[in-house]
Amino acid sequence: MSPPSLRIVILGLSITSSWGNGHATTYRGLVRELAARGHDVLFLERDVAWYADNRDLPPAAHGRTVLYRSVRELKRRFKRRIREADLVIVGSYVPEGAQVGEWVTRTARGLTAFYDIDTPVTLARLARGEVDYITRALIPRYDLYLSFTGGPTLRRLEREYGAQAARALYC
């Protein structure tokens, strides 16, 4: 008997274009493997010009990808999916990500996670107050803080930033 499939929503910087970022290949691998295990995966990506002009997502990609143009549209179109998902992941560098994260952590009934694909940069920017995709106050609201960095940084996220559970998820 196989475990039940999960309904997973991922809000990430980009899966449709690897142009100028390493997020797309990480998300492609993650979505491919989750789908291969039978999970229902929806990837939501902000439709921005610099990625729209350079889309290179293979046609045989797994999961489902939907673009949205604004936080307002995101909330209107996907409130039910966010609320009913078993897991919602918000990634680093998502445009207006702190606002998206606030909404997700208020709306989702399932688990919520923040996936930080550049944790050292995030922590440095948090210290300077220069980050717009996560806030110090938002970190404890996520059930899980996934980091591409392991080791003592994970304990630091829990001790100093109040992350409920910081775990490595390498790219």
Side-chain angles (χ1 to χ4, degrees):
M1 176 184 242
S2 61
S5 66
L6 299 175
R7 294 167 301 180
I8 301 170
V9 178
I10 301 172
L11 296 106
L13 175 64
S14 182
I15 196 170
T16 65
S17 175
S18 59
W19 182 76
N21 77 86
H23 293 236
T25 53
T26 295
Y27 285 127
R28 289 173 188 177
L30 179 60
V31 170
R32 181 186 65 240
E33 294 306 313
L34 289 169
R37 286 165 175 73
H39 301 298
D40 174 20
V41 183
L42 172 62
F43 191 94
L44 300 175
E45 177 181 327
R46 181 81 169 258
D47 191 12
V48 293
W50 55 88
Y51 293 139
D53 294 339
N54 296 283
R55 300 219 193 276
D56 58 2
L57 181 67
H62 300 280
R64 195 170 122 232
T65 299
V66 179
L67 303 173
Y68 65 94
R69 294 189 183 275
S70 67
V71 173
R72 183 178 177 177
E73 178 187 351
L74 173 70
K75 291 177 179 181
R76 180 180 51 78
R77 288 180 60 197
F78 300 102
K79 181 177 183 176
R80 183 175 176 189
R81 279 298 295 254
I82 298 296
R83 185 177 55 241
E84 295 176 355
D86 296 301
L87 170 63
V88 180
I89 300 170
V90 179
S92 54
Y93 294 92
V94 167
E96 298 178 272
Q99 183 181 353
V100 170
E102 291 285 340
W103 174 68
V104 163
T105 58
R106 279 193 319 269
T107 305
R109 292 182 186 157
L111 294 174
T112 60
F114 179 71
Y115 186 18
D116 196 345
I117 295 179
D118 206 351
T119 310
V121 172
T122 298
L123 294 178
R125 291 179 71 194
L126 273 170
R128 294 189 309 266
E130 297 174 353
V131 66
D132 63 352
Y133 52 85
I134 189 79
T135 63
R136 189 181 265 280
L138 183 55
I139 291 172
R141 292 184 53 191
Y142 284 107
D143 298 303
L144 182 61
Y145 193 110
L146 300 169
S147 171
F148 92 134
T149 302
T153 300
L154 300 176
R155 302 298 73 79
R156 180 177 175 212
L157 285 163
E158 293 172 346
R159 282 192 316 270
E160 292 179 34
Y161 292 88
Q164 291 186 49
R167 301 293 183 269
L169 181 57
Y170 300 113
C171 298

